[in-house]
Amino acid sequence: MRKNSIKNTRINMEVQRELSEIIRREVKDPGLDGAMVTVVSVEVTPDLKYCKAYISVLGGDEAAQKALEGLKRAVGFIRKELAGRVNLRNTPQIKFILDQSIEYGVHMSRLIDDVTVGIKEREDQEEESAAWWDEPEQ
């Protein structure tokens, strides 16, 4: 099975959906209390032995690290639940990886907004100064 085959893509989607559901409803770990954990993407190897689950956590870096530690503690439970929900030949070993692309995107969007506001303010100031020079004296 090739890495980007349709079968592998379907397996990735199914594992992602089930992992999201398990983390949201089943895992009871103090590190996850109050944390909004999202499974962004999942990559299951073609031999179904290993799985990389990219997660995003709403909150600061401290909340993200606590959530990641909580998921690592609960990985055995999560794997057992996944085995019961998804019918695969092998249940993959799960490795959780913190994905900060969403936070990075929000940060870049904020920077772009700041630049556009600065340009707009500069244009407004230039228009005001040009209007002052153009006024006739009485």
Side-chain angles (χ1 to χ4, degrees), residues 75-102:
V75 74
F77 172 78
I78 294 170
R79 188 173 182 212
K80 182 180 74 84
E81 287 291 315
L82 186 64
R85 294 177 183 214
V86 180
N87 186 16
L88 295 174
R89 182 178 18 155
N90 298 318
T91 302
Q93 292 181 8
I94 304 167
K95 180 178 181 182
F96 291 103
I97 300 170
L98 191 59
D99 181 25
Q100 297 175 331
S101 62
I102 295 174

Side-chain angles (χ1 to χ4, degrees), residues 12-76:
N12 288 343
M13 289 172 36
E14 182 68 18
V15 170
Q16 179 181 354
R17 186 170 58 82
E18 292 300 331
L19 276 178
S20 296
E21 197 69 21
I22 292 168
I23 291 170
R24 188 168 36 127
R25 293 192 177 175
E26 305 293 329
V27 177
K28 307 285 190 254
D29 190 276
L32 297 175
D33 288 344
M36 176 78 173
V37 178
T38 306
V39 180
V40 178
S41 69
V42 170
E43 293 177 3
V44 179
T45 58
D47 63 356
L48 305 176
K49 300 258 184 194
Y50 302 98
C51 169
K52 290 181 185 177
Y54 296 93
I55 62 162
S56 176
V57 180
L58 188 64
D61 290 335
E62 186 177 324
Q65 289 304 319
K66 282 184 179 180
L68 194 59
E69 290 170 9
L71 288 171
K72 286 180 181 177
R73 282 191 300 267
V75 74

